[in-house]
């Protein structure tokens, strides 16, 4: 049987009621006991590395998780990370970039209801995660509801629905039916991970911000981020991802920012089909000034990539 390490980080899946609402409290062994079917799947060891609501996770916690995987990489055949759903897509994106040439499964999962709650989705999600962690999967994936999603393409869409996540701009790696994983044709062929020696890169520049455009939003907001010393900005624009260039023209201020050495990445508020700065004048002109396209990346992946680029 394969040997899998379960890393606990907290989240709703591990929550118990308190006077102030749900708080993460259960550790790995307590949760494993509630999924007895796992006895026939693999050998499981657990390690509690964090006990947090995922809304309180920050880039330093992504580093802690990546370092825990690296420290035990040779000892185990795969990894399952239990995590809160609110920022799980960010952690999945971060690990997808941090774990280089990862040839083993690294599977994140969580739940919309605590594992001890009646009708919880947690036991099924945990069970399916261990199925994925004992499969030929390589690299980072998120298992939730009836899907296995590549870590760099996951996004939370629902606050309550048990199929809370979607795979953005990539087909799900697998669908789950009756406790079986049905893999997409190319899902087990490397997942975009290299074939060299496993390594991690946890360097991140924290002074990165996301600016979400709304109609009429004035570009002088950029002055705030310049004054605060931000190194990179992701502008979440409309449609194909360009910035306004009419009466409310963002291009002159954008040029000022770029000339000061601040990296600017354009992404889109649309979930699917990505950024196309070569389609309309607002995108073409922004790109000429030096703004970069997030292309098909989710916002979560674009954030991590920019943090890593700036940290080099």
């Amino acid at each position: 049987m394969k040997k899998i390490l379960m890393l606990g980080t907290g989240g709703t899946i591990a929550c118990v009621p308190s006077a102030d609402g749900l708080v993460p409290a259960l550790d790995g062994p307590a949760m494993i006991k509630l999924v007895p079917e796992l006895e026939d799947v693999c050998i499981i060891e657990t390690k509690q590395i964090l006990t947090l609501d995922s809304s309180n996770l920050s880039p330093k916690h992504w580093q802690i998780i990546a370092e825990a995987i690296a420290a035990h990489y040779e000892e185990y055949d795969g990894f399952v990370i239990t995590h809160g759903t609110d920022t799980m897509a960010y952690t999945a994106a971060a690990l997808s970039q941090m774990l280089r040439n990862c040839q083993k499964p690294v599977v994140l999962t969580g739940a919309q209801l605590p594992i001890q709650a009646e009708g919880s989705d947690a036991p099924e999600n945990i069970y399916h995660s261990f199925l994925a962690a004992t499969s030929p999967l390589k690299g980072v994936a998120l298992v939730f509801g009836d899907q296995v999603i590549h870590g760099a393409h996951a996004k939370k869409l629902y606050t309550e629905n048990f199929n809370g996540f979607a795979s953005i701009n990539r087909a799900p790696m697998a669908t789950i039916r009756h406790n079986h994983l049905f893999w997409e044709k190319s899902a087990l062929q490397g997942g975009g991970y290299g074939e060299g020696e496993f390594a991690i890169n946890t360097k991140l520049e924290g002074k990165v911000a996301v600016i979400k455009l709304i109609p009429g939003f004035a570009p002088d907001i950029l002055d705030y981020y310049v004054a605060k010393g931000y190194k990179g900005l992701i502008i979440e624009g409309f449609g194909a991802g360009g910035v306004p260039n009419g009466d409310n023209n963002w291009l002159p201020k954008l040029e000022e920012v770029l000339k000061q050495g601040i990296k600017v990445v354009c992404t889109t508020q649309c979930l699917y089909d990505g950024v196309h700065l070569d389609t309309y004048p607002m995108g073409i002109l922004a790109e000429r000034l030096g703004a970069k396209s997030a292309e098909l990346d989710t916002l979560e992946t674009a954030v991590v990539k920019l943090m890593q680029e700036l940290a080099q």
Side-chain angles (χ1 to χ4, degrees), residues 8-16 22-26 31 48 50-55 57 82-87 109-115:
T9 70
T12 295
I13 194 169
C15 275
V16 298
L22 293 173
V23 294
L26 297 180
M31 289 192 284
Q48 196 71 28
L50 299 167
T51 306
L52 294 171
D53 184 303
S54 73
S55 295
L57 262 69
T82 54
H83 195 290
T85 61
D86 287 350
T87 62
T109 196
Q112 300 285 38
L113 293 174
I115 192 167

Side-chain angles (χ1 to χ4, degrees), residues 1-56:
M1 296 179 78
K2 290 190 175 181
K3 187 177 176 182
I4 307 298
L5 178 61
M6 176 176 166
L7 298 172
T9 70
T12 295
I13 194 169
C15 275
V16 298
S18 79
D20 299 317
L22 293 173
V23 294
L26 297 180
D27 61 11
M31 289 192 284
I32 292 300
K33 285 181 182 178
L34 297 171
V35 193
E37 300 88 348
L38 288 172
E39 289 183 9
D40 299 324
V41 174
C42 59
I43 298 167
I44 300 172
E45 295 183 3
T46 67
K47 184 178 180 66
Q48 196 71 28
I49 54 175
L50 299 167
T51 306
L52 294 171
D53 184 303
S54 73
S55 295
N56 292 322

Side-chain angles (χ1 to χ4, degrees), residues 174-253:
T175 54
I176 305 169
R177 297 192 300 275
H178 306 298
N179 289 333
H180 291 280
L181 307 184
F182 295 87
W183 294 96
E184 189 268 331
K185 186 175 181 180
S186 63
L188 301 179
Q189 298 176 1
Y193 294 90
E195 297 295 329
E197 185 177 352
F198 172 75
I200 63 170
N201 177 6
T202 60
K203 295 179 181 178
L204 296 169
E205 170 55 61
K207 299 291 279 188
V208 169
V210 177
I211 301 172
K212 187 183 184 83
L213 296 186
I214 61 173
F217 195 10
D220 58 7
I221 187 66
L222 296 174
D223 293 332
Y224 169 84
Y225 292 100
V226 173
K228 292 295 183 179
Y230 276 77
K231 308 296 184 184
L233 299 174
I234 295 177
I235 299 179
E236 197 175 1
F238 311 115
V243 298
N245 69 336
D247 293 339
N248 184 39
N249 191 354
W250 276 61
L251 292 173
K253 187 65 70 174

Side-chain angles (χ1 to χ4, degrees), residues 22-302:
L22 293 173
V23 294
L26 297 180
D27 61 11
M31 289 192 284
I32 292 300
K33 285 181 182 178
L34 297 171
V35 193
E37 300 88 348
L38 288 172
E39 289 183 9
D40 299 324
V41 174
C42 59
I43 298 167
I44 300 172
E45 295 183 3
T46 67
K47 184 178 180 66
Q48 196 71 28
I49 54 175
L50 299 167
T51 306
L52 294 171
D53 184 303
S54 73
S55 295
N56 292 322
L57 262 69
S58 65
K60 70 178 181 181
H61 299 113
W62 306 338
Q63 294 165 329
I64 289 170
I65 298 169
E67 288 162 359
I69 292 167
H72 298 285
Y73 186 78
E74 298 300 333
E75 301 170 46
Y76 296 93
D77 298 301
F79 302 85
V80 169
I81 303 161
T82 54
H83 195 290
T85 61
D86 287 350
T87 62
M88 186 157 58
Y90 279 99
T91 300
L95 295 178
S96 294
Q97 304 306 314
M98 289 178 167
L99 304 179
R100 305 295 174 88
N101 306 322
C102 184
Q103 303 302 309
K104 297 181 179 183
V106 176
V107 181
L108 293 99
T109 196
Q112 300 285 38
L113 293 174
I115 192 167
Q116 293 179 324
E118 183 178 356
S120 173
D121 54 332
E124 194 168 69
N125 284 346
I126 290 176
Y127 182 72
H128 294 157
S129 294
F130 278 94
L131 293 182
T134 54
S135 77
L137 173 71
K138 296 180 181 180
V140 180
L142 188 153
V143 171
F144 207 91
D146 62 6
Q147 296 184 105
V148 179
I149 300 170
H150 191 288
H153 292 268
K155 183 176 285 290
K156 186 178 182 183
L157 296 189
Y158 298 95
T159 59
E160 296 182 344
N161 191 296
F162 283 0
N163 280 312
F165 288 79
S167 184
I168 305 299
N169 294 326
R170 178 178 174 143
M173 300 184 78
T175 54
I176 305 169
R177 297 192 300 275
H178 306 298
N179 289 333
H180 291 280
L181 307 184
F182 295 87
W183 294 96
E184 189 268 331
K185 186 175 181 180
S186 63
L188 301 179
Q189 298 176 1
Y193 294 90
E195 297 295 329
E197 185 177 352
F198 172 75
I200 63 170
N201 177 6
T202 60
K203 295 179 181 178
L204 296 169
E205 170 55 61
K207 299 291 279 188
V208 169
V210 177
I211 301 172
K212 187 183 184 83
L213 296 186
I214 61 173
F217 195 10
D220 58 7
I221 187 66
L222 296 174
D223 293 332
Y224 169 84
Y225 292 100
V226 173
K228 292 295 183 179
Y230 276 77
K231 308 296 184 184
L233 299 174
I234 295 177
I235 299 179
E236 197 175 1
F238 311 115
V243 298
N245 69 336
D247 293 339
N248 184 39
N249 191 354
W250 276 61
L251 292 173
K253 187 65 70 174
L254 189 62
E255 184 174 19
E256 289 179 27
V257 168
L258 288 161
K259 284 183 176 178
Q260 294 186 60
I262 297 172
K263 298 278 187 180
V264 176
V265 175
C266 292
T267 186
T268 172
Q269 295 173 31
C270 299
L271 283 178
Y272 297 99
D273 296 336
V275 176
H276 303 279
L277 294 184
D278 59 351
T279 304
Y280 299 101
M282 53 277 288
I284 293 170
L285 294 172
E287 196 166 38
R288 282 179 189 167
L289 293 175
K292 303 298 183 183
S293 169
E295 299 180 343
L296 292 174
D297 286 342
T298 62
L299 174 63
E300 293 86 348
T301 294

